[in-house]
């Protein structure tokens, strides 16, 4: 499976070319919109990490720190304050 990402100052074009065939569908978004989408996804992950930390503290108290740290590492996020 091939993924292609092209960026210019104005737009980002992304294509998933599962069969390496030209003409695969392409998504084109303005750079500012991509930045907003990425920032939103990062915030969603941080919010989920906070919920996961609370859940782990309640259900896995002896492993909560390790679980939370593992998720934070996997998503390249700092643990919730």
């Amino acid at each position: 499976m091939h993924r292609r990402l092209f960026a210019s100052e104005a737009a980002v074009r992304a294509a998933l070319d599962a069969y390496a065939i030209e003409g695969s569908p392409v998504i084109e978004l303005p750079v500012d919109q991509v930045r907003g989408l990425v920032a939103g996804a990062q915030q969603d992950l941080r919010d989920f990490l906070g919920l996961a930390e609370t859940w782990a503290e309640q259900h896995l108290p002896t492993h909560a720190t390790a679980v939370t740290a593992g998720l934070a590492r996997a998503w390249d996020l700092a643990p919730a304050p």
Side-chain angles (χ1 to χ4, degrees):
M1 187 174 303
H2 301 276
R3 293 174 187 89
R4 298 182 205 173
L5 187 65
F6 305 96
S8 69
E9 290 182 25
V12 174
R13 296 180 74 214
L16 176 60
D17 189 354
Y19 303 104
I21 298 171
E22 289 300 319
S24 292
V26 174
I27 297 170
E28 186 168 336
L29 298 169
V31 170
D32 290 340
Q33 187 176 359
V34 173
R35 285 185 185 123
L37 291 169
V38 170
Q42 289 172 328
Q43 185 59 53
D44 288 347
L45 285 172
R46 281 191 293 273
D47 292 346
F48 182 79
L49 183 61
L51 294 171
E53 181 177 31
T54 299
W55 180 89
E57 288 169 351
Q58 293 171 357
H59 298 280
L60 306 167
T62 58
H63 302 289
T65 301
V67 168
T68 303
L71 289 172
R73 272 193 314 277
W75 296 329
D76 196 22
L77 298 173

